[in-house]
Amino acid sequence: MPCTVVVCGFFGDTGKGKIISYLALKDKISVAARAGVGPNAGHTVVYGSKTYKVRMIPSAFIYDRCRLLIGPGVLVDPNIFLEEVKQLNVEDRVGVDPQCAIIEPKHVEADRGGHLASEIKTTGTGTGPCNADRVLRRAKLARDIPELQRFLIDVPLEVNTAIDSGENVLIEGTQGTYLSLWHGTYPYVTSKDVTASAACSDVGVGPKKVDEVIIVFKAFVTRVGAGPLPGEITWEEAEKRGWAEVATVTGRRRRAAPFNFDLAKRAVMLNSATQAAVTKIDALFPECKGARTFSDLSAEAREFIGKIESEIKIPVTLIGTGPEVWDIVDRRLE
Ligand code: IMP
Ligand code: MG
């Protein structure tokens, strides 16, 4: 799978971090390129007894031979980036494109007031106001920032060179299809498109170079912030069902609803997905926790996966059965 794109088919928080970290280790990804909006994303990677939360560094960092790049379409908050580089000790293999726009304190401040905070209920990380400044052609770029000079690299060139040499390349989307500025539940969306095409554009890869698009769904739907969520249940009900989650970046409670086949079907279309991953199957079927082969899943769980496949018309190749990287059924191997 030389060039693979990973995106989310719902509202974000479907477990891309887990799927990406598994693929990085399993498929020995040589180059991972982070796409998406910016540090409004929060990805969780659980490896052994350690839990990592990343907002800027690609989730593929867990594979220690993987190059970690941030494409020019992604907004960089230098403080968050530099802190993660230090924490994860990835200085020698991380690169930022000189054309990444820079989030400044004034963007964060603007994001925490006015209609963005009160109506849209953004993450308050400055991404919307920074993208607005980029469109107005007055945002600073990574090439203007002294602290980032040692990380600057032509990301599209490195990614395309790796693809052309047949190396395994992973493009990491963030947020989710229905948070897209074009295809989501406007105005309750993020500040740009976040479907697979946009992810490719963020890192400078054209449409003919992509081999696989993996769309990630969770076994139930969650959403943080404002906006419609069909079939929404109460927080108390979510707690009862084991669906109660809090957001990685903001600590807010995630709103929850059952798996939505209509949204999933449309998301497959919008992303031209070739395979799907379904995470947290153990939240619906606790008996499946830790299963590693399809036949170890209960009949009910297998039926649920079959129903998804018959609706979305692409194979569900990866099934998450717990938080740890290796808690997964990989049907590509079966
Ligand atoms: P913004 O992206 O911070 O402008 O927030 C706009 C909307 O997208 C809000 O509803 C946020 O909660 C949501 N959002 C942004 N990034 C993520 C994410 O990574 N996961 C889940 N929701 C997100
Ligand atoms: Mg998240």
Side-chain angles (χ1 to χ4, degrees):
M1 43 185 337
C3 182
T4 302
V5 183
V6 177
V7 289
C8 158
F10 289 147
F11 299 93
D13 306 317
T14 45
K16 287 185 293 300
K18 186 239 168 70
I19 296 297
I20 290 166
S21 51
Y22 170 77
L23 291 172
L25 290 163
K26 185 72 189 175
D27 296 355
K28 302 197 181 344
I29 300 294
S30 6
V31 176
R34 168 73 150 74
V37 184
N40 48 351
H43 294 148
T44 304
V45 173
V46 183
Y47 189 44
S49 57
K50 279 200 163 157
T51 299
Y52 304 87
K53 307 241 183 227
V54 283
R55 294 172 56 191
M56 293 258 47
I57 302 295
S59 300
F61 74 86
I62 205 78
Y63 177 49
D64 59 12
R65 300 179 63 181
C66 183
R67 290 271 300 154
L68 308 168
L69 308 178
I70 300 180
V74 180
L75 307 173
V76 171
D77 183 323
N79 298 327
I80 297 172
F81 170 78
L82 293 166
E83 180 61 31
E84 287 184 4
V85 168
K86 200 166 76 185
Q87 261 182 15
L88 302 171
N89 194 22
V90 292
E91 172 139 11
D92 54 342
R93 56 191 178 104
V94 73
V96 174
D97 193 89
Q99 303 235 88
C100 290
I102 296 298
I103 296 175
E104 297 181 69
K106 64 179 179 192
H107 297 131
V108 175
E109 200 182 312
D111 205 10
R112 293 185 179 174
H115 79 293
L116 289 176
S118 63
E119 265 177 67
I120 311 297
K121 302 194 194 303
T122 68
T123 60
T125 52
T127 51
C130 183
N131 265 333
D133 270 354
R134 177 136 195 174
V135 171
L136 293 170
R137 269 99 3 126
R138 62 185 186 194
K140 284 188 184 151
L141 299 185
R143 66 183 184 218
D144 306 320
I145 310 296
E147 296 75 31
L148 295 179
Q149 295 302 311
R150 66 185 194 278
F151 300 105
L152 299 185
I153 185 104
D154 183 338
V155 169
L157 181 65
E158 184 169 342
V159 171
N160 281 279
T161 303
I163 295 171
D164 294 344
S165 343
E167 290 173 40
N168 282 345
V169 171
L170 195 72
I171 299 175
E172 301 189 10
T174 64
Q175 284 73 43
T177 297
Y178 295 101
L179 293 176
S180 161
L181 185 59
W182 304 158
H183 306 292
T185 53
Y186 187 89
Y188 304 105
V189 293
T190 192
S191 52
K192 62 187 266 193
D193 182 25
V194 288
T195 58
S197 313
C200 291
S201 166
D202 288 340
V203 303
V205 169
K208 293 181 75 173
K209 283 206 178 160
V210 174
D211 299 286
E212 299 285 343
V213 176
I214 301 180
I215 192 163
V216 184
F217 300 111
K218 189 159 58 182
F220 51 98
V221 184
T222 58
R223 148 161 233 176
V224 283
L229 179 60
E232 182 169 3
I233 60 173
T234 62
W235 176 256
E236 290 67 36
E237 180 60 23
E239 277 184 322
K240 242 186 263 167
R241 295 188 193 185
W243 301 1
E245 299 179 344
V246 294
T248 308
V249 173
T250 56
R252 295 182 289 187
R253 288 176 174 182
R254 290 182 183 153
R255 301 158 57 199
F259 191 95
N260 189 311
F261 294 94
D262 294 331
L263 290 182
K265 223 151 92 176
R266 185 171 175 82
V268 166
M269 174 186 83
L270 292 169
N271 292 282
S272 70
T274 58
Q275 308 174 34
V278 175
T279 59
K280 287 211 164 186
I281 190 100
D282 54 306
L284 295 196
F285 308 100
E287 69 281 6
C288 297
K289 192 161 177 66
R292 300 204 175 174
T293 62
F294 194 65
S295 55
D296 282 344
L297 298 179
S298 62
E300 290 78 7
R302 279 182 275 138
E303 203 175 300
F304 177 64
I305 296 296
K307 161 98 168 119
I308 293 174
E309 287 183 322
S310 75
E311 293 277 344
I312 67 176
K313 308 278 193 292
I314 56 169
V316 174
T317 50
L318 300 164
I319 302 163
T321 59
E324 215 268 340
V325 166
W326 302 111
D327 287 338
I328 197 164
V329 173
D330 185 349
R331 294 166 85 197
R332 302 174 310 163
L333 311 171
E334 293 182 6

